[in-house]
Structure formats: C-alpha cells, structure tokens
Amino acid sequence: MKRTTIPFGPQHPVLPEPLVLDLILEDEKVIDAIPTIGYIHRGLEMMVERVEYTEMGFVVERICGICSFMHGMGYCVSLEAIMNVEVPERARWLRLVWAEISRIQSHLLWLGLGADAFGFENLFMHCWRMREQILDIFEKTTGGRIIHSVNRIGGVKRDIADSELAAILAELQELGAAFKETARVFGTDPSIAHRLGGVGVLTKADALAVDAVGPMVRASGIATDTRLGGAFMYDQIDFEPVVETAGDCLARVLVRLREVDQSIDIIRQAIDKMPKGEGLPIENRPRGLPSGEVFTRLEQPRGEVVYYVKANGTKNLERFRARTPTFANIPAMIKLVKGCDLADVPNIILTIDPCISCTER
Amino acid sequence: MANPFRLPMVPRALRNLVSRPATRLYPTELRPRFAGARGAIVFDVESCNFCMLCARRCPAAAIECSREDRSWAIDQLTCIACGVCVEVCNKKSLSMSAEPGRVHTRAEATPDGRRPGREEWLKPAPPPDLTTAPVSAAATD
Amino acid sequence: MDTTAFLARVEEYHRDGWRLALINVTTVLPAAPAAHGAQTAVEAAAVGAAPLDGPGVFEIAWGFARGGEFKTIREQIEQGQSVPSISEFFGAAFLYENEIRELFGINVTGMGVDLKGQLYKTATRVPFSHGAVKARLAALAASAVKPS
Ligand code: SF4
Ligand code: SF4
C-alpha cells in the first residue's frame, strides 16, 4: 500500500510545544513514528563549561516552567551531596511541600490541556482556574509564580511562617474539595470515556519493556514511584503510589486526577511532621569548591528525573546532565503511536504529558 | 458503554451562567501583588557606595557598575529577578518593587542605541571640601 | 572494554528486573584543569597549559534503577572505539544510544532503532567530541567573557 509521511509538529494541533514526529501512514494507520528533538534545544550541558556552578542553579530552574521548583531542587540536592552539606530539617520539609504543590499545579495544567485536546473547553477553563490559586500560593511563599528561585545549594532562601502553612493547607483542602466536582466530570462523562477509553493501551509488559516512568507506568498497573525510595523526607510520609490497570489514555488521566488528592494529603502530613517555630535554620552555606560526582533521582509530576553532576574542583562543572521524564517516555510514546489511527495520535501524545522544554535541556 | 445521557458538566455549566466571572478585566482591574513578590529592581543611588558587589554576583550580568565613574546601570530586560543583588548589597540600596511590571513592547535597541528597560545613574563625587582641608606645616611657616 | 562481560552484566540487570534509567557520557579532557592551579577550565586554557593537549577519553555510565535503588555500570573508552548496544535487553536504550552517537560521536553497534542522525538538530556536528569541547574552551579563554 502507498505510504504517506505526515510531519507532526513543530507547529501543533495539540500542544504549544515543538514536538516533532514524522508519522508514516498506511491509509489511516500509523505504522512508524520518527522523533526529532532539538527545535528549542538550549544546550545546558554545554553551558556548564562557561557558567559558574552557583549561577547554574538559576539556569537549571529555567529548564521548564512547570517543574521549575523540582529542577532547582534537583540541582541543589546534587551539589549538596557532592559538597557534603547537611541541609536543615525544616528546609527539607519546605522543599517537600513546595515540590508537592508543584505536582498539583502541573497536573491541573495538564488536565486542562488534555481537556482542551479532546475538545472540552469548559473543563479546561475550570482546571486552569484552580491552577491559578496554586500559582498565587507560590507567589505568596516564594515570590515568583513560575520561576521560584527559592532553592539554594545548602537549603532554601525563604521560610514560610507556621500560620501561613496552616492557611495554605486549608486553602489546598478547600481546593481539593472543589476539585472533586471536576474530577467527577473526567471520570464519568460519557464523551470523555468514549474518546479516551481503550485508546493507546500500554500493557504492563510493554511498559516494563520500554522503561517508561511516572504516571505513564502507574496507569499500566506498575506501582513504581521514585518517592518510595524515601529520600527527601518521603520516608516519613505515608502514601501508596496511585495505580490504574487499564493502561489506556483514560487511565493516565485518572492517575493524575488521583495524584492531585494524594499530593494534598502528603502536604498535610508534611506540615504536621515538620519542626515548628520561628527562626529555625533553613540553610547551611557550603564551603569550598565542589569535587566529585553524583546521580540524583526525583519524582517529578511527569515521572522520574535523573541528574548527573560531575564537578572537578573548579568553578565550572565538568558535566551536568538531566534525563527528564519526557525523554524517558519517548520510547513508550513511539510504541503507542505505532498501529493507532491518525485521529488518536494527538490524545495519545498528550496523555504522556510531554514537556519538550524538559527534553531539550 | 457509558450512559450517553449522563452529563456531569451540566450543573456546573448552569451555575457558570449566573456566577461572576473568575477572571479580572486586566489591565483596567489589577490584582495587588503579594508582599514579598519578586519584581523589578529599584535602585537608591543615594546610599550606594559603588562597591560593585551586585554587578559581580548578578548571574545574568544585568548590572553595570563602575567605582571610578561612580555610575550604576541596570538592564531591566536582562534581569531575571533572582534577587541575588538585593541580598548581597550591604548598603541596602537595592530592593524589589511589587508594582505591576512596566511593559516593554520591544527588546532591541532603538536607532540611537538606547535599550528599552535600561536605567542609568551617575553620582559624581562631591567636590573636595576646602574649608576643612588640613593646613600643611610649611604654610604656617 | 570487554564486550561479552559487559553484555552479560547488562543481561543480569535485565533479568533481575532493573529498569534502564539513563546512559550518560562525560567527555573527559586529558588533565583536569584544577591540576594546573586554575580555577576554571577557561582559565586553564588561558594559561595555555597542557590540559587541552592529548586525546582524552569518554566515561560512559549505564544507570539502572529498581525501586529506590540505583546502580551503574561504568566504562572508559577512547575516541574512535565503539560500544555495543543494549537495546536487546532494554527497549528505551535506542534513544540514549542515538543521543550519544550524535552528541559525542561514539559509535554504537547493533542499535535497535537507528535514527540516522535525525534525533537532534545541532549547529555543531558532534558538539561534545573532544575537539569541539577544546575549541570552545579555547575560544572562551580568548574572549574572556566576564570581568571578575
Ligand atoms: S552592592 Fe549595593 S552598594 Fe554595592 S554597588 Fe551594588 S547597589 Fe551599590
Ligand atoms: S535580580 Fe538577579 S538578575 Fe536581576 S539584577 Fe539582581 S542579581 Fe541581576
């Protein structure tokens, strides 16, 4: 049969990011997809050659506007490990709280985009209206809505007063209650079930074979979550990874819906367990220049991120590498797209929650 | 197959018809910014002693400062609002404004070489005060 | 590197249920700039000292994750040597392997999916080859970017 090649992107029907796939079609069926990345590649790995390690933190934070906090945190914890800095307990808890707030923010953003992609404008607006409240919390506590610049090697720059923390928790719980209504629409609306159910099924075996991460694998019935590793205070939090078994687009939506509630609960526990009081130390400044190497893993909203940092005792790092969740999920995406209908491609791609900025550090 | 007559969004949509909009009519209606929000850098030339620390520590190289000329300049469009300069200034000459940002519609320099968003200060040294100048021993002789 | 022993270890990881977390390459220049008392690589290049002479190596790390555990297999190879592909065991490996070939110029034999140099669009061909890194550091040293 005659084959057609459709360049899918960089200008997009589904997301405002320059993801590029060359789709090779036979009739309406996709038989192959060839990814190209690099349309917005910024060369962070090359940049470490000339940017000093202290300043690099601000650059790493700008890898992505959605996981900005997590990227900053990943960079700082990597250097703290290399430089042997003990981060004060309160700072570690604050990082966890901010990280979970970012997760809620990211999932709400994605749920909105997802709704928009399957043509549910109204739902999109409600998700983004709630996300706005989260951004306000960020602005109140860190000073920035998207780029927080609150992490520093050795701790965090700002403390949140205990009364403020309680207020944030109350606000989040209220938001969580209001979110139930929206979540119910995602879960029960027949048009959504019709559009997403059974589309783009990633079986458990396939998910393992392509080394996918994050909500993507959890929707295929595998309970992996980097947070279970226990680092960054997660060992003191009681939680179970959210798992769905269907492995289709709808399951990936449901995983993220439930993770919003889960994050609110994690924040509640964290605020409960955190050492309270005014003026507790929140940072230990490191001394000297870094020398050594480390791999750091964090669970970002989209899945596991791995940082590799190698320092050689100079002001410039020898190597900085971020393997972001979207990069790890590209093989899974290609796997799903092969054999599906052209009309399903946008939804499949969107449900892996691709972040091209992350992929193209 | 799901029940096609189940329409969970309808109650919300009906409520939306009668509720107030969730958005503001920007720019006629502005939300006040939160205390502590980071924004444009505000410079107080009176207290600055031109130590150049801020210029050296700025990760974006947005500040130009010269001790000899006693000049200080910032490129607001290069500044990434990280707050490092505010933190390092010993003289507390720098602060961040929580005002809604000034809007620049272009980033390139104008034909006369002025960059939008660039702000400059110059504070010439005061003339030497002659009345209290020490009198040399030779003069009294 | 010993290809058979390496593949045997990879297979063991695969059998034990590990997941490929990343393949990372570091371009290691002949001598660390710190050895010459320079604070940065750029300064070292400015002194014109030895660090940029000689061939240098690539450090490759295959990282595997299982739950909270993380392990790596490390190898050092010289420029021009190739590494075997592990796509046979880990489905995601092809992406990393295409990446290291395009960015570092390391030849990978037997890749599962060969993207034929299409993955990245870069201005420099093979931006992290030793030659390219040295050229950049030398250019940086020549144009001393920041006053300090
Ligand atoms: S650090 Fe403060 S006192 Fe020093 S030059 Fe900058 S603004 Fe002036
Ligand atoms: S806020 Fe940051 S980027 Fe802006 S002038 Fe100050 S140090 Fe530079």
Side-chain angles (χ1 to χ4, degrees):
Chain A
M1 193 184 288
K2 204 167 155 283
R3 292 190 171 181
T4 325
T5 307
I6 295 190
F8 189 79
Q11 295 292 328
H12 250 282
V14 278
L15 71 166
E17 292 198 77
L19 165 77
V20 184
L21 283 179
D22 282 339
L23 298 177
I24 300 174
L25 305 180
E26 254 176 21
D27 204 5
E28 287 277 301
K29 282 259 178 286
V30 180
I31 56 162
D32 203 0
I34 300 164
T36 303
I37 57 182
Y39 279 86
I40 46 165
H41 196 80
R42 288 150 294 170
L44 249 67
E45 287 148 9
M46 198 185 269
M47 211 169 175
V48 294
E49 288 165 8
R50 59 187 164 84
V51 175
E52 289 174 16
Y53 78 98
T54 41
E55 298 176 351
M56 195 63 198
F58 295 111
V59 181
V60 173
E61 222 177 20
R62 284 164 172 78
I63 289 180
C64 164
I66 303 171
C67 317
S68 154
F69 181 83
M70 302 262 215
H71 279 302
M73 170 172 163
Y75 180 80
C76 292
V77 294
S78 304
L79 276 144
E80 282 151 11
I82 291 180
M83 299 173 91
N84 279 323
V85 188
E86 174 72 27
V87 180
E89 191 182 342
R90 179 145 173 123
R92 280 182 281 160
W93 280 116
L94 286 174
R95 278 182 180 170
L96 185 150
V97 169
W98 274 315
E100 290 302 326
I101 299 179
S102 319
R103 193 180 315 277
I104 302 174
Q105 187 263 117
S106 170
H107 282 348
L108 285 176
L109 175 126
W110 179 81
L111 287 166
L113 280 181
D116 192 38
F118 54 68
F120 216 138
E121 286 277 328
N122 207 342
L123 203 49
F124 155 71
M125 289 187 184
H126 281 290
C127 291
W128 280 48
R129 175 176 57 79
M130 286 180 213
R131 171 174 176 261
E132 201 58 25
Q133 283 171 267
I134 307 273
L135 293 185
D136 282 355
I137 295 178
F138 268 127
E139 186 176 341
K140 251 184 261 177
T141 53
T142 68
R145 295 165 71 75
I146 302 292
I147 302 292
H148 312 303
S149 291
V150 78
N151 272 302
R152 180 151 53 191
I153 302 168
V156 293
K157 287 189 202 166
R158 295 194 186 192
D159 201 349
I160 313 179
D162 289 333
S163 54
E164 178 87 24
L165 278 172
I168 288 173
L169 180 62
E171 191 174 342
L172 285 176
Q173 279 171 336
E174 204 172 295
L175 184 132
F179 180 67
K180 288 226 158 50
E181 186 186 10
T182 310
R184 205 169 54 88
V185 179
F186 274 105
T188 59
D189 191 282
S191 61
I192 298 179
H194 196 62
R195 185 78 183 90
L196 301 182
V199 171
V201 179
L202 185 71
T203 59
K204 194 168 174 175
D206 282 346
L208 287 174
V210 294
D211 306 306
V213 296
M216 190 83 184
V217 270
R218 291 199 283 277
S220 298
I222 304 167
T224 80
D225 190 321
T226 316
R227 289 176 287 177
L228 288 176
F232 320 117
M233 306 316 269
Y234 282 105
D235 51 347
Q236 303 196 29
I237 301 280
D238 177 26
F239 76 102
E240 288 281 320
V242 173
V243 175
E244 289 282 336
T245 48
D248 57 0
C249 289
L250 190 60
R252 295 193 271 279
V253 173
L254 297 180
V255 165
R256 295 193 176 93
L257 283 175
R258 286 169 51 201
E259 283 190 2
V260 171
D261 288 336
Q262 183 192 43
S263 289
I264 295 175
D265 187 59
I266 291 179
I267 294 170
R268 178 188 61 74
Q269 295 182 37
I271 291 179
D272 220 30
K273 296 205 166 129
M274 179 187 288
K276 308 276 176 344
E278 290 278 302
L280 288 172
I282 51 167
E283 64 175 329
N284 270 333
R285 302 303 287 273
R287 293 225 180 77
L289 291 169
S291 177
E293 56 162 11
V294 70
F295 285 93
T296 309
R297 291 160 69 219
L298 289 180
E299 183 77 14
Q300 279 188 346
R302 298 183 169 81
E304 175 205 47
V305 60
V306 185
Y307 300 93
Y308 172 70
V309 178
K310 183 171 183 205
N312 55 11
T314 65
K315 283 188 201 158
N316 296 85
L317 299 176
E318 190 164 343
R319 174 97 172 121
F320 169 78
R321 165 77 202 260
R323 196 282 279 137
T324 53
T326 306
F327 193 83
N329 277 336
I330 287 179
M333 175 166 85
I334 293 171
K335 167 111 205 151
L336 288 183
V337 166
K338 278 185 197 175
C340 77
D341 278 346
L342 179 61
D344 287 336
V345 172
N347 275 326
I348 292 177
I349 290 182
L350 210 72
T351 50
I352 80 157
D353 197 357
C355 174
I356 305 306
S357 321
C358 282
T359 314
E360 310 190 4
R361 302 80 49 203
Chain B
M1 182 62 221
N3 174 3
F5 297 106
R6 198 162 170 188
L7 300 168
M9 195 68 192
V10 169
R12 178 79 226 192
L14 291 176
R15 259 187 292 139
N16 284 350
L17 281 178
V18 291
S19 61
R20 286 186 41 232
T23 49
R24 283 179 207 88
L25 273 179
Y26 183 85
T28 51
E29 189 187 339
L30 296 178
R31 188 206 69 188
R33 297 201 61 194
F34 298 104
R38 284 178 289 120
I41 294 289
V42 179
F43 176 60
D44 170 32
V45 69
E46 287 314 314
S47 55
C48 172
N49 66 359
F50 304 97
C51 67
M52 297 177 52
L53 196 57
C54 51
R56 226 174 348 216
R57 294 285 293 279
C58 171
I63 300 178
E64 265 171 49
C65 176
S66 158
R67 192 173 293 153
E68 292 87 62
D69 310 346
R70 296 169 67 76
S71 68
W72 195 95
I74 183 168
D75 233 326
Q76 295 283 14
L77 291 185
T78 307
C79 169
I80 56 171
C82 64
V84 167
C85 55
V86 178
E87 237 168 75
V88 297
C89 177
N90 294 324
K91 291 281 172 188
K92 305 224 182 316
S93 311
L94 294 171
S95 55
M96 279 187 157
S97 104
E99 292 287 300
R102 275 148 283 181
V103 177
H104 299 283
T105 49
R106 49 183 285 162
E108 321 83 55
T110 51
D112 58 355
R114 272 171 39 90
R115 281 205 55 180
R118 189 175 163 91
E119 294 166 11
E120 293 171 350
W121 283 266
L122 193 65
K123 185 182 167 199
D129 193 347
L130 295 173
T131 52
T132 57
V135 186
S136 74
T140 51
D141 200 350
Chain C
M1 62 186 280
D2 182 349
T3 311
T4 10
F6 166 74
L7 286 176
R9 284 182 70 191
V10 173
E11 189 178 1
E12 204 172 299
Y13 275 107
H14 175 62
R15 228 188 11 247
D16 295 347
W18 292 74
R19 174 171 60 77
L20 179 68
L22 89 166
I23 302 178
N24 178 59
V25 181
T26 311
T27 309
V28 182
L29 293 177
H36 298 269
Q39 286 256 298
T40 62
V42 174
E43 278 173 36
V47 211
L52 303 183
D53 295 340
V57 292
F58 290 115
E59 271 178 20
I60 313 185
W62 287 262
F64 301 93
R66 186 174 68 184
E69 296 169 275
F70 184 84
K71 282 195 180 170
T72 55
I73 300 180
R74 303 292 191 103
E75 294 284 351
Q76 270 204 355
I77 65 161
E78 273 155 34
Q79 221 166 350
Q81 284 184 331
S82 54
V83 295
S85 166
I86 60 166
S87 329
E88 190 190 331
F89 308 107
F90 295 96
F94 79 89
L95 202 57
Y96 302 99
E97 286 166 355
N98 279 287
E99 183 188 64
I100 66 179
R101 186 179 63 189
E102 286 180 30
L103 298 186
F104 294 85
I106 299 172
N107 193 26
V108 185
T109 50
M111 273 192 284
V113 182
D114 190 340
L115 297 173
K116 304 196 178 62
Q118 240 219 56
L119 182 62
Y120 279 95
K121 294 207 183 304
T122 51
T124 323
R125 271 183 62 81
V126 201
F128 293 102
S129 66
H130 291 93
V133 175
K134 283 179 203 173
R136 277 201 303 277
L137 290 181
L140 264 181
S143 70
V145 271
K146 269 188 98 175
S148 59

